[in-house]
Amino acid sequence: MAPTLDNESSLFNFVVRDGNGVKGIVDSGISKVPQAYIQPHAEQIDKKSASKCEIPPIDLSKLDGPDHDEVVNQIVRAAETLGFFQVVNHGVPVQLLDSLKQTAHNFFSLPAERKAVYRKEVSPSPLVKYGTSFVPEKERALEWKDYISMAYTNDDEALQQWPIECRDVALQFLKTSHEMVRNLLEALLGNLGEELDDSKIDAFIGKKMVNMNFYPTCPNPELTVGVGRHSDMGTLTILLQDGIGGLYVKVPEDVDMEKKGEWVEIPPIPGALVINVGDMLQIWSNGRYKSAEHRVRTTSTKSRVSIPIFTSPLPTQKVAPLPQVVKKDGVARYREFVFSNYMNSFFGNAHDGKKSLEFAQINSN
């Protein structure tokens, strides 16, 4: 049954509660965006005024040769400024990247009832959640996105509990990217005077999750957002985006870069992965690394997919700025907390830029 688009409660039930998602509205044949998805003017994305980020991708194969230190410097510099960078020769096969994008399209093309079984309220597995927008109950305007989220515990549980339509490629993506994530983390933590060994790795990236995001074609892209302004809550995010584009990052005001305070688009580069710094890395570095504020635009021409891997500490992990960094800086800018409390705060609020960090910030008034 198609929703009554001008009745907000009927629309909400159709999209969120019944699990039809944004795709269900689009498939019903709409010619304009429902009111519930129209963002306040300040949140709308003006594609024409945004410039592209022209920073070339970092070649990770050079970490193994004489250019090792130079590549580490490139990684550190990117984390200290934009908080976003792209990598090539990263060890994840390009054929797998293509397969992931196709699998995401295939999954979201399934009938609504096949996807809706994974809605949070009814999902047969605590590891799998199908949803739409971010926190629909708390948002002034909904985000134009459906997603499936798959938490990783171990291979067996992933193969048993993740959706059969996407489990194999999602798990392969997680496994083939692990060495790259470790190398990036070693470079970034090493620069802070922290050595990464096997006993410590779970403290930084013990929790992993693979998402598949689907942004259906939108009749009025200029009025909506695929994802609102936010930074990621974890350590590092590894993102595969398709060739359509629409990922925007805000250049921080407090860095030595051009276009301060402006939004720049991260253009798709064939075969590349996008890496972004999360809030935890900003906190461990005492603010030296920048968790990137970013958002996603919708498009009227084609449906877009993206597949992120979110890495973060285990929920029970205590997080605080690294002592050696605080000693050097002379002040701790963030308090100590348990990561699960940060997660609850993050998921308890609608997207609102980098406001999530206020949970841990020590005010220097």
Side-chain angles (χ1 to χ4, degrees):
M1 189 188 78
T4 313
L5 297 185
D6 50 3
N7 177 324
E8 213 154 294
S9 135
S10 154
L11 176 77
F12 190 89
N13 286 339
F14 177 83
V15 173
V16 180
R17 301 235 163 87
D18 302 339
N20 289 288
V22 186
K23 187 169 189 300
I25 311 177
V26 173
D27 289 350
S28 74
I30 55 163
S31 57
K32 64 179 182 107
V33 165
Q35 185 63 41
Y37 285 91
I38 297 178
Q39 294 287 332
H41 186 72
E43 300 298 333
Q44 294 172 8
I45 302 173
D46 181 2
K47 187 180 180 183
K48 295 180 200 71
S49 69
S51 57
K52 283 196 165 38
C53 175
E54 304 296 355
I55 301 169
I58 298 172
D59 183 348
L60 293 185
S61 67
K62 293 185 175 176
L63 275 173
D64 293 334
D67 298 328
H68 174 272
D69 291 354
E70 172 54 29
V71 176
V72 167
N73 287 340
Q74 288 172 6
I75 293 165
V76 166
R77 166 84 184 147
E80 288 176 341
T81 50
L82 196 57
F84 249 88
F85 53 100
Q86 300 203 61
V87 295
V88 291
N89 295 323
H90 38 62
V92 182
V94 173
Q95 306 91 294
L96 175 58
L97 302 183
D98 292 338
S99 182
L100 279 158
K101 288 180 276 194
Q102 189 54 55
T103 300
H105 277 290
N106 294 350
F107 179 81
F108 289 101
S109 298
L110 291 170
E113 57 274 17
R114 291 274 295 281
K115 297 174 285 190
V117 295
Y118 292 110
R119 281 183 305 118
K120 186 169 74 173
E121 298 76 13
V122 296
S123 180
S125 166
L127 305 181
V128 184
K129 179 187 165 193
Y130 167 76
T132 190
S133 197
F134 179 61
V135 191
E137 297 77 13
K138 299 220 173 178
E139 289 160 345
R140 281 185 303 171
L142 297 171
E143 299 177 351
W144 197 263
K145 176 188 90 166
D146 300 331
Y147 66 90
I148 183 88
S149 166
M150 296 165 277
Y152 179 79
T153 45
N154 57 56
D155 289 5
D156 286 347
E157 287 194 350
L159 291 170
Q160 285 163 13
Q161 300 182 37
W162 290 6
I164 193 166
E165 295 85 359
C166 45
R167 67 184 184 196
D168 294 328
V169 287
L171 187 57
Q172 241 183 311
F173 186 29
L174 197 64
K175 291 166 83 76
T176 55
S177 63
H178 179 75
E179 191 180 348
M180 170 194 66
V181 174
R182 188 181 175 124
N183 289 339
L184 292 171
L185 204 52
E186 272 179 351
L188 291 166
L189 292 174
N191 178 59
L192 302 174
E194 181 77 8
E195 224 172 283
L196 188 68
D197 59 39
D198 288 347
S199 66
K200 288 182 186 169
I201 197 156
D202 277 358
F204 295 104
I205 54 165
K207 180 177 161 63
K208 298 185 193 75
M209 182 176 281
V210 186
N211 277 25
M212 289 185 171
N213 298 326
F214 184 70
Y215 306 94
T217 49
C218 177
N220 312 97
E222 69 288 352
L223 300 178
T224 59
V225 296
V227 182
R229 298 176 299 109
H230 72 290
S231 56
D232 292 346
M233 68 168 179
T235 304
L236 283 173
T237 301
I238 296 85
L239 176 78
L240 169 61
Q241 60 169 341
D242 63 17
I244 292 167
L247 173 62
Y248 293 82
V249 181
K250 192 175 189 181
V251 181
E253 301 276 5
D254 59 346
V255 298
D256 180 20
M257 268 185 96
E258 290 176 15
K259 302 175 182 167
K260 286 182 190 173
E262 289 181 33
W263 289 92
V264 295
E265 185 174 5
I266 304 291
I269 296 174
L273 290 168
V274 180
I275 311 294
N276 70 276
V277 171
D279 290 350
M280 294 308 106
L281 209 42
Q282 176 161 332
I283 290 166
W284 283 314
S285 71
N286 206 30
R288 196 172 300 182
Y289 298 146
K290 311 295 179 194
S291 66
E293 184 178 349
H294 55 288
R295 60 186 183 177
V296 174
R297 187 180 186 275
T298 59
T299 172
S300 60
T301 49
K302 275 182 173 172
S303 294
R304 175 180 183 267
V305 293
S306 68
I307 299 99
I309 294 174
F310 297 108
T311 68
S312 56
L314 291 168
T316 52
Q317 184 67 40
K318 284 184 177 173
V319 177
L322 294 169
Q324 60 271 43
V325 183
V326 173
K327 190 176 177 185
K328 199 170 178 182
D329 293 348
V331 60
R333 296 188 176 90
Y334 305 94
R335 64 180 179 85
E336 185 180 76
F337 55 89
V338 176
F339 183 59
S340 58
N341 293 337
Y342 195 96
M343 284 168 63
N344 292 339
S345 168
F346 185 86
F347 288 116
N349 296 286
H351 283 146
D352 189 6
K354 290 187 65 167
K355 208 164 181 199
S356 50
L357 274 162
E358 289 177 9
F359 175 86
Q361 236 147 9
I362 296 172
N363 294 325
S364 52
N365 297 348

